[in-house]
Each structure stands twice: as structure tokens, then as C-alpha cells.
Amino acid sequence: MADRPKAACRDDRPGTRPDGARGAFLPAGATETFDKCRPPSPEAPPGSQARRHPPCFRVRQTAIGSLHLTTRAVAHGIPAFAVRVESADRSLVYSGDTAPCPNLTQLAGECDVLLCEAESTRTPDNGDPVHHTPEDAGDTARTARAHRLILTHIGRSLTPQEAVTRASARYNGPIDHATLGTTYTSDHTTTATAHPPD
């Protein structure tokens, strides 16, 4: 670790993503934090500290330059978190993978933009949900009083437009779906347009 810069580190191991992306830029100490958050070892006895959610998934705050970041644990069946990114006059909340939960709604309160996953086509018949449906995303945005909703991680059996239509039944603010190559701003304008697929 000593050879890594203090402000950021980079993992240069080859990535496994099909687009060939490699590594990630992380704040100092992130690698150690992620190591603490690994799932418990199968040998850990039930009820032991190793099987409880690690402390890094409680509310955490940090600053990167002029940006203030706050993370909170969310409901995904395994440790997962959402993040709120704030500048002096703008805020964006990214849900990460999660079912609807109070922690996300509180974190997203009055945000300018809520970037929310909508992977599920319906609430599961058995077991706890681990993703939002489009309607859930609309409910989260409405309850949080988010100023704009952008859907991402849309389920394979939904078209983006279907997801937007379903979310709009629960939320009457501006709704978009995240599109590769499109840049969004919090004043509800698009500053760059994605190229349509060939």
C-alpha cells in the first residue's frame, strides 16, 4: 500500500468486464474498507461479529474536492449501499442495487436527481425483494420529494420506455432512463445526446 498515492489509488489488475475496463479510482483507504466488508467466512459461527453487517455500511461521509459524499446501507439481501453526492447547490443520489427501503428514501430527501435502479418487473411472490420495480422507483422518488428521476439497471424484460411509463404512474416529476453517452444536468436539460445503436 505504501506505493499508492495518498489521495487516490488504482487497481490495475485486468478487469473481467466485456468492455475491457480495468481497475477503479478509489479514495485513500478504500481498499482496506472494502476488505472489511467482504462476506463472512463460511467457518464463522452463527451470530458471530463476522456474520453481522460490517460497520462500513452504516452512514459514512467524506469529501472529495468540493463534493460531499454520504453513503447509507440499503436493502439488497447482501451488504449494499446508496450514495448521495452534493456540491454547493446540487445533489444526486444513486440507489445502487436495492429494494425500496427507508434508508434510501431518507438519503434521497429533496435531492435534485435520483438515479434509481428498476431491475424487477414485479415484486417477488416469495421472499423479500432485492430490487425496485419501476413503480417502486416512482414511489421512492415521490416520497423522497426528488426533483427528477432517472431510471437505470432496467430489467431485461422491460423496455426503457415501459419502465418510464410505469414509474410515471407513481411520480409526476420529470423521468428519464439512463442512456449510454447521454449527460444529464440537474436543471432538467440534456447537455449531450447519446448515439442510437446501429
Side-chain angles (χ1 to χ4, degrees), residues 120-187:
S120 291
T121 56
R122 63 186 180 87
T123 303
D125 295 328
N126 298 315
D128 294 328
V130 294
H131 291 286
H132 279 71
T133 64
E135 290 84 359
D136 292 335
D139 287 340
T140 296
R142 186 188 72 247
T143 304
R145 300 177 66 185
H147 297 279
R148 181 178 189 178
L149 172 62
I150 300 176
L151 300 175
T152 190
H153 189 21
I154 294 169
R156 291 183 206 120
S157 61
L158 288 172
T159 67
Q161 191 53 53
E162 287 171 332
V164 167
T165 299
R166 288 174 55 177
S168 69
R170 306 285 183 92
Y171 172 73
N172 61 9
I175 305 176
D176 291 296
H177 61 88
T179 306
L180 185 64
T182 301
T183 302
Y184 302 92
T185 61
S186 62
D187 62 1

Side-chain angles (χ1 to χ4, degrees), residues 22-104:
R22 293 172 39 146
F25 289 99
L26 302 168
T31 302
E32 293 83 359
T33 299
F34 289 146
D35 285 343
K36 293 177 190 171
C37 298
R38 291 181 185 193
S41 122
E43 299 84 38
S48 73
Q49 182 62 35
R51 287 194 175 270
R52 295 184 193 138
H53 280 309
C56 59
F57 286 102
R58 296 182 188 134
V59 176
R60 299 290 295 244
Q61 297 182 334
T62 191
I64 300 175
S66 63
L67 298 177
H68 180 78
L69 284 74
T70 304
T71 60
R72 288 197 77 170
V74 289
H76 190 50
I78 58 173
F81 58 95
V83 63
R84 182 180 182 111
V85 182
E86 297 175 284
S87 66
D89 60 352
R90 296 284 187 270
S91 57
L92 174 137
V93 172
Y94 173 49
S95 68
D97 280 356
T98 182
C101 64
N103 277 359
L104 175 61

